[in-house]
Amino acid sequence: MNGADKAELLRASRRLAIRFTALMMVLLALVGALAYSIVAATAASAEQRALRDAVVAAEPEEAPQGVFVAVVGGGGRVELSRNMPPGLPDLDAIRQVAAGTRMVEKRIDVRGRSYAVLTAAHDGRIIQAAVDQHEGREELQRLLTALLLSGAVAAVVAATAAVLMARRAMQPMAEALALQRRFVADASHELRTPLTLLSTRAQLLRREAARLQGGDRQPGIVAGLDEIVADSRVLTEILEDLLIAADPREAASPEAVDLVAAAEAAVKAQSGETGARGLTLGRTGSEVPVLVDGARVSLQRVFTALIANAMDFAESRIEVRVQEEDRQAVVTVSDDGPGFPPDVAGRAFERFASSRASGPEAQRHYGLGLALVGEVAARHNGSVRVLPSPPGSGAVIELRLPLR
């Protein structure tokens, strides 16, 4: 495995570990929040229960620890719990109950401590109970601290485990990727060389046949050799498509690419084939360079693939247009063929897509060409789509790439 593959594996493992850790932290946060809310609700319920029990049954001297009771009996006699905090009892609440209010609940802060106070009339007396909330709040604070510390420890453990599991999970993929790269390299070496030799030998043989033909003594030999040269060129192009499809990063060398020049080169290269088919191929649009950042070879193959697709279905003309629009480079390739069937328009850039509709004009099949266009567009942060058009009015494919 080379350095680039190792770096890619490391990045993928890191992304997987981060996502797993984030998921674990979200789950822990939800559990912690649920536990905290349950404990807080239980503490609040216990506090209310202690207040109501003290108001109903407790005498000042019998009040449990942390609960303070004041009883106002007949004749205005007041009984207080031992160690009644300063600021208690709440005389204002007692006066409200004495004036006829059934029950008064308050929160009182005295010298940095908070008390829940309940004042009510019971058995001809006015009873006020107060509960010190300081201890309950300290318990909640300790619980929150414990939850945060355990969450931090769990995050470290989860991150470590996630990294180890991510690397282990990605290892088979890395081995498969390395195997694919070796296959692509071997295929590139083993197939390109004989195809190049085949094309070269066919061209040399054609020249020799043309020299020896001498009029019409050997008619058809030169034409047959021309077909062999053309077939070898087609095989080479198919091989390039297959190799790019197997490892598209091989064609990714970012540089400034002029789409106008690339379009003109593709039109010029395909003009002989389109002329032989009786088709007119031309370029329109911008007359000045339209620059994008990308891989020159990949973008050149995009034009070749789009024109080749149009050649398969055009009736008389193909138009390649390059222009700038909304800070984007826009490439459109149109033909006057039957157009894309509705069921294919959304799947045209899938590998080996074909029409599911019936009828001769709907039988349109696609190989890797348009799929490669979609992959190249995605790698260049662009998009490609089939523009809607009436049935039978031709096909229009639009490619958009960000300007340099």
Side-chain angles (χ1 to χ4, degrees), residues 164-384:
L164 294 176
M165 288 188 293
R167 288 183 177 178
R168 181 173 296 181
M170 294 298 293
Q171 190 62 38
M173 298 179 62
E175 293 174 358
L177 182 62
L179 181 62
Q180 175 183 311
R181 298 279 166 74
R182 287 196 297 270
F183 168 76
V184 170
D186 293 345
S188 175
H189 178 270
E190 296 297 329
L191 294 177
R192 279 194 177 107
T193 301
L195 283 175
T196 301
L197 291 175
L198 174 64
S199 177
T200 302
R201 289 171 179 171
Q203 293 180 51
L204 292 175
L205 185 58
R206 178 193 178 284
R207 292 177 186 174
E208 184 66 15
R211 185 178 67 83
L212 297 176
Q213 183 171 347
D216 296 331
R217 286 177 294 173
Q218 298 179 6
I221 294 181
V222 173
L225 291 173
D226 285 338
E227 292 178 358
I228 294 176
V229 173
D231 290 343
S232 66
R233 186 184 306 113
V234 172
L235 285 174
T236 302
E237 292 177 353
I238 293 174
L239 173 63
E240 293 294 336
D241 279 347
L242 291 173
L243 294 178
I244 294 174
D247 191 3
R249 299 185 311 168
E250 293 297 325
S253 301
E255 57 181 314
V257 180
D258 179 11
L259 294 184
V260 172
E264 290 178 347
V267 169
K268 182 178 180 181
Q270 299 284 357
S271 59
E273 181 67 18
T274 54
R277 298 189 185 190
L279 302 175
T280 301
L281 173 62
R283 188 195 71 82
T284 61
S286 176
E287 297 299 330
V288 297
V290 176
L291 298 179
V292 298
D293 282 325
R296 185 180 302 277
V297 174
S298 295
L299 293 174
Q300 192 68 57
R301 292 296 301 154
V302 164
F303 284 101
T304 302
L306 291 176
I307 294 174
N309 175 76
M311 286 168 53
D312 289 337
F313 305 100
E315 295 183 358
S316 62
R317 64 171 183 82
I318 301 171
E319 179 182 308
V320 180
R321 183 176 182 84
V322 181
Q323 60 187 358
E324 294 184 12
E325 181 180 310
D326 297 331
R327 298 192 58 79
Q328 288 184 316
V330 181
V331 177
T332 56
V333 177
S334 58
D335 63 68
D336 60 350
F340 286 87
D343 67 310
V344 173
R347 303 181 296 107
F349 302 98
E350 299 176 2
R351 297 186 176 210
F352 304 104
S354 62
S355 173
R356 300 190 184 117
S358 59
E361 63 180 17
Q363 298 306 309
R364 191 163 185 169
H365 304 276
Y366 313 90
L368 285 173
L370 293 185
L372 289 174
V373 172
E375 293 176 4
V376 172
R379 290 202 309 272
H380 288 77
N381 299 317
S383 62
V384 62

Side-chain angles (χ1 to χ4, degrees), residues 52 55 96-97 100-105 118-121:
R52 295 182 185 280
V55 167
Q96 292 182 44
V97 173
T101 304
R102 180 174 174 274
M103 184 182 296
V104 177
E105 293 186 68
L118 176 63
T119 308

